[in-house]
Amino acid sequence: SPSNISHETLQQNTFHCVIKKDMVKKYMEMFKNLSENKNSYRKIHNTFYKNLKLDIYKDSTNNAKITKLMRYLLTKLGEEMTSLDDYICHMDDKHFMKNSVTTLKQQEPRI
């Protein structure tokens, strides 16, 4: 029952939550800063891709920020990766859309 939980345990759990929240905030800032350099971020993205993809669904607090960190290979760009925001900016080009949507769907079936 809840009355059997010690004060120390509650403090530790609260402390744990604060530490976790601060760490997640720092990691999000770090990933955002790293994402500004396309060449180095590609390596990092490839390493953490599955984790980022899963965290979009698991972390409702940060899922919008995590979505901005995701990158996708699109046919028109060759080997270059693009963010969803950049992809949306190119939506005016019908040729870009036609070739890219297929690739995006193959990589992310939920989109």
Side-chain angles (χ1 to χ4, degrees), residues 56-71:
I56 289 173
Y57 301 102
K58 287 176 44 180
D59 187 353
S60 60
T61 305
N62 294 302
N63 64 358
K65 292 176 185 175
I66 297 169
T67 300
K68 290 180 185 269
L69 296 170
M70 295 297 292
R71 298 293 182 268

Side-chain angles (χ1 to χ4, degrees), residues 1-15:
S1 81
S3 60
N4 292 337
I5 298 174
S6 71
H7 182 67
E8 292 81 19
T9 303
L10 287 175
Q11 283 181 329
Q12 288 175 351
N13 286 338
T14 303
F15 185 66

Side-chain angles (χ1 to χ4, degrees), residues 40-90:
S40 64
Y41 189 66
R42 182 180 182 137
K43 294 175 189 174
I44 292 166
H45 183 272
N46 289 342
T47 303
F48 293 102
Y49 173 75
K50 289 181 182 178
N51 299 84
L52 290 169
K53 187 175 168 182
L54 181 62
D55 283 344
I56 289 173
Y57 301 102
K58 287 176 44 180
D59 187 353
S60 60
T61 305
N62 294 302
N63 64 358
K65 292 176 185 175
I66 297 169
T67 300
K68 290 180 185 269
L69 296 170
M70 295 297 292
R71 298 293 182 268
Y72 307 93
L73 283 172
L74 299 177
T75 342
K76 184 169 182 168
L77 299 175
E79 291 297 312
E80 188 178 335
M81 297 177 82
T82 188
S83 67
L84 189 57
D85 289 340
D86 289 344
Y87 174 76
I88 290 169
C89 288
H90 290 96

